[in-house]
Each structure stands twice: as C-alpha cells, then as structure tokens.
C-alpha cells in the first residue's frame, strides 16, 4: 500500500505541475519533496532530497555532458555543417531525390558530431532549404525528411544521451553504449532514405549534376577534419585511451582548433557559444539533480519493485511486456524531451527489462530510439518545431508528410527491441559487454 500511495502522489503532483506550465525540472523536484513529506518529517525530507540532488550531479562522468554540449555549440558556428552537406551531396548526388538523401546523410554526420538533434535540424535544414526549394521539392516533404533524420545523432556516438543513461542505469559501460548505437542509428537513417526514395521516385525529383573526381576529392578533404573527430573521440573512449569525460574535453579542444583554422568563429560568436553552453548545462544539470531526488523517493517507497511486480503479474509473456513498454515510451515521447524521459523512466523500466532478461545496453538503445521518435511528434516534439521553423512551413502541412517516417521508425523500434543483435552485436564483437 505504501508504494501505491507513493506512486499516486508522486505522478499526480508531477503531471499537475507539468500541465500547469511549471518547468519539468521544478515539477520533478517539488513532486519528489511532496511525496517524501508523506513518509518522512519535514526536516528529514528537506535534508535527504537536497543531499540526493547534490549526489546526483557529483559525478566525474557527468562532466562529459557540458563538454560535449560545448563542442556541439562550437560546431554549430564553426563552418562544419556546409562542408558535411557538400560531402553528402557528392555521396548521394546521383540518386533520384538526391537533395532529400543529402539531408538525411548530412544529419547523420552532423548529428554524430554535435550530439544534438535540434542543432542538426537547424544547421542542415537551413543549409539545404533554399537549394531544395529551387529544385522544386515540396517544402513540407523536405521539412519532414529533415525532422525525421535529425535525431539520428542521438544514437550515433558520441552522444550525451548514452552518457546520461549510463549514469542513471548504474554505470552501464559508455563504450558499450557508444558501439551499440551505430547499427540502430545507421538503420534509422536508411529507413528514412528508403521512404524518401519511394516518394521522390513518384514525384520525379531531379538528380544533382555529376561531380568530377577532383571536386569530390576536394569535398572529402574539406570535410575530413570534422569527420576525424568521431574517430578520435569514439576510438579513444572505446579502446581505453581516455574516459568519456576526457574524450569530451578532447572534442572541445579539437572543434575549437578546427573552427579557428576555418576562420569561421569571431570573439563575439565564441562568447555566444559559451553563453549558450552555460544555459544548456544549467538546464540539464538541474534536471539530473531533480531526477536524482525523485529516484531516491521511488527507491525508498519501493515504487520500481511494485511496478515490476504489477506488470509481471498482469502479463506473463515477455513479448506482451515489451509491447506495453514500447507503447508507454512512445506516448511519453510525445510530451517529454529525451533527457528527462531517460532520467525518469530508466529507474522504473530497467528493473522490468532485467527481470525478463533484456541486457541494459539493449534497453538503453530501445529507450533512446523511442525518445528519438518522440522528438518528431506533436505536441511537444522539439525537433518538429525547430524543423518547421527553419522551413517556414506550418506543422499542419508537415505532420502528414511525417506519418510514413513515423511508421517506418516504429517498425525499426520493434526490431531493435526483439532482435538483440541489432544493438548488442557490435559491442559484443569488441568484447565490451559484461
């Protein structure tokens, strides 16, 4: 009865505050404190919640989050997006609907470098928007392709989503999570490309003029320094040369030197990058601190165990449990961003998946992919709003074009959930799984 009371108070308070317009981090903290007061005296509740919030962000590995945010912000203003678009255009320029495929490939490359779906949607979308319009592409279709492909960078490493999940899940290997993200991330891009190919074949969108070998080589050379960041950072982390936090510091230094070499960053733009990094870091860290308080309340009142027992008693089939979990995550993704969703639902769902035999690394990929889909769906999809804003199209026109992508990505999510090799195969081959 204690767990039932606690879960009722906790989530009722959280959703009331959330729908009242209170910021999600504040809603988490206040809901946790209210629930703690039901079971503990005022002094104990105040002390313990405050202590747990402090402990939640007192982690060396979490230092990687602001550093990767900093590196991503530097890339946004460092002239890297244009070089990646040119390289992607060389790679897929002869395919029907080449600019749509260029958008997908450029988002995969830039998203992997920046680690931000919103940054990818803004940078790549704005770079290709005028070119697509002049080529006769339907702006709503172009926006849909950009929105659907921008979140691929949340799966393809290096990604802060994997670092946050690793911390919340109790030290799941960041190296294993990074390697696990490659296949689902690449498959996500390929699914969107296939759907775009079918549409562009019907519309007879043009190919791009053939590029000479020399021009293609020059595009590769211009983009190669940016691409090497993935090799340096991910390779260094996976092979134990440095930790994820040290890799993030290397990423900051590398992107800063690269931007200076490109002469694309002024002192004014650098101060703007620092300011945006400080603001983003404050938001993320306060979210993590507040969720640490909520995690303690849930553990103290036995909420995860009670939810696990209830779900296992209702459904004795592993397949049914996984389908129910996917439905929950897809619904959650429609109104919650990826970081708070990971922070809130990892402590609840991870014990259930471990009980039915799912590896924590695989669950991390399922969770992140489900939240990637959520970023492109209304009513609170952050990438949806950025993508439509860049294109100048209304959400009402773009959403119907997104439906085929949504269906394809949901099918991919089901595949990643029920085929462990899609996420565990690569880290398993590299000996990164425990």
């Amino acid at each position: 009865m204690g767990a039932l009371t606690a879960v009722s108070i906790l989530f009722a308070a959280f959703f009331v505050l959330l729908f009242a317009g209170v910021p999600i981090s504040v809603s988490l903290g206040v809901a946790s404190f209210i629930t703690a007061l039901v079971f503990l005296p005022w002094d104990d509740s105040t002390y313990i919640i405050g202590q747990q919030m402090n402990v939640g962000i007192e982690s060396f590995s979490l230092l990687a989050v602001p550093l990767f945010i900093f590196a991503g912000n530097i890339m946004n203003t460092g002239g890297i997006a244009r070089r990646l678009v040119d390289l992607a255009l060389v790679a897929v320029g002869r395919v029907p609907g080449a600019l749509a495929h260029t958008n997908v490939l450029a988002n995969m490359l830039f998203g992997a470098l920046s680690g931000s779906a919103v940054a990818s949607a803004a940078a790549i979308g704005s770079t290709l928007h005028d070119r697509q319009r002049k080529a006769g592409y339907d702006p709503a279709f172009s926006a849909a392709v950009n929105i659907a492909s921008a979140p691929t960078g949340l799966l393809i490493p290096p990604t802060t989503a994997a670092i946050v999940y690793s911390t919340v899940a109790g030290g799941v290997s960041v190296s294993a999570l990074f390697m696990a993200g490659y296949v689902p991330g690449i498959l996500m891009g390929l699914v969107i490309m296939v759907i775009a190919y079918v549409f562009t074949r019907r519309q007879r969108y043009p190919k791009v003029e053939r590029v000479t070998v020399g021009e293609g080589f020059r595009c590769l050379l211009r983009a190669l320094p940016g691409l090497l960041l993935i090799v340096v950072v991910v390779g260094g982390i996976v092979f134990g040369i440095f930790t994820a936090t040290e890799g993030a510091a290397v990423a900051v230094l590398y992107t800063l030197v690269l931007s200076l070499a490109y002469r694309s960053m002024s002192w004014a733009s650098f101060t703007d990058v620092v300011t945006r990094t400080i603001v983003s870091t404050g938001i993320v860290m306060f979210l993590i601190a507040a969720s640490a308080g909520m995690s303690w309340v849930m553990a103290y009142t036995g909420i995860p165990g009670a939810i696990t027992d209830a779900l296992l008693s209702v459904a004795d089939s592993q397949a049914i449990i996984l389908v129910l979990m996917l439905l929950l995550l897809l619904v959650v993704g429609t109104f919650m961003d990826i970081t708070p969703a990971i922070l809130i639902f990892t402590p609840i769902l991870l014990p259930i998946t471990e009980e039915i035999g799912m590896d924590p690394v695989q669950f991390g990929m399922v969770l992140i992919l489900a939240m990637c889909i959520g970023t492109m769906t209304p009513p609170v999809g952050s990438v949806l709003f950025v993508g439509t804003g860049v294109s100048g199209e209304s959400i009402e026109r773009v959403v119907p074009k997104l439906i085929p992508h949504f269906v394809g990505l949901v099918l991919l999510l089901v595949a990643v959930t029920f085929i462990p090799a899609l996420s565990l195969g690569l880290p398993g081959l590299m000996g990164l799984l425990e």
Side-chain angles (χ1 to χ4, degrees), residues 47-291:
Y47 174 77
I48 293 174
I49 295 297
Q51 181 189 52
Q52 292 301 315
M53 291 179 69
N54 181 68
V55 170
I57 57 175
E58 195 176 10
S59 168
F60 177 73
S61 61
L62 281 180
L63 186 58
V65 174
L67 289 173
F68 274 125
I69 291 173
F70 192 20
N73 285 334
I74 292 172
M75 275 184 264
N76 282 351
T77 58
I80 296 174
R82 171 66 66 179
R83 289 166 171 82
L84 294 178
V85 167
D86 291 341
L87 178 62
L89 195 57
V90 170
V92 296
R94 301 304 298 166
V95 180
L99 290 177
H101 303 302
T102 298
N103 197 326
V104 178
L105 186 56
N107 266 329
M108 293 171 69
L109 294 172
F110 189 80
L113 291 171
S114 68
S116 170
V118 171
S120 290
I124 304 302
S126 59
T127 301
L128 281 170
H129 174 67
D130 289 340
R131 192 181 301 186
Q132 289 172 322
R133 187 181 291 274
K134 290 176 183 177
Y137 283 65
D138 177 3
F141 164 75
S142 299
V145 171
N146 184 44
I147 291 164
S149 60
T152 52
L154 298 176
L155 282 165
I156 302 174
T159 166
T160 56
I163 296 171
V164 172
Y165 172 77
S166 171
T167 304
V168 181
V172 177
S173 169
V174 174
S175 298
L177 289 168
F178 275 9
M179 287 297 100
Y182 273 115
V183 173
I186 293 171
L187 287 176
M188 183 176 178
L190 290 176
V191 166
I192 298 164
M193 281 185 169
V194 169
I195 295 169
Y197 179 82
V198 172
F199 184 87
T200 53
R201 286 280 292 184
R202 292 175 180 174
Q203 300 298 318
R204 300 183 182 276
Y205 286 147
K207 300 177 183 179
V208 177
E209 293 182 6
R210 188 180 297 277
V211 177
T212 65
V213 175
E215 290 172 339
F217 187 67
R218 282 191 293 273
C219 286
L220 176 60
L221 286 180
R222 292 177 71 238
L224 189 59
L227 295 176
L228 283 176
L229 174 65
I230 300 176
V231 178
V232 172
V233 174
V234 177
I237 294 171
V238 170
F239 292 107
I241 300 173
F242 39 68
T243 66
T245 303
E246 292 164 346
V250 170
V252 171
L253 181 61
Y254 189 100
T255 52
L256 188 57
V257 170
L258 197 60
S259 296
L260 293 175
Y262 287 158
R263 298 182 180 180
S264 54
M265 181 175 290
S266 64
W267 176 252
S269 61
F270 177 73
T271 55
D272 179 62
V273 163
V274 172
T275 301
R276 285 188 283 119
T277 300
I278 292 172
V279 172
S280 298
T281 299
I283 294 171
V284 172
M285 287 303 176
F286 189 42
L287 266 172
I288 294 173
S291 71

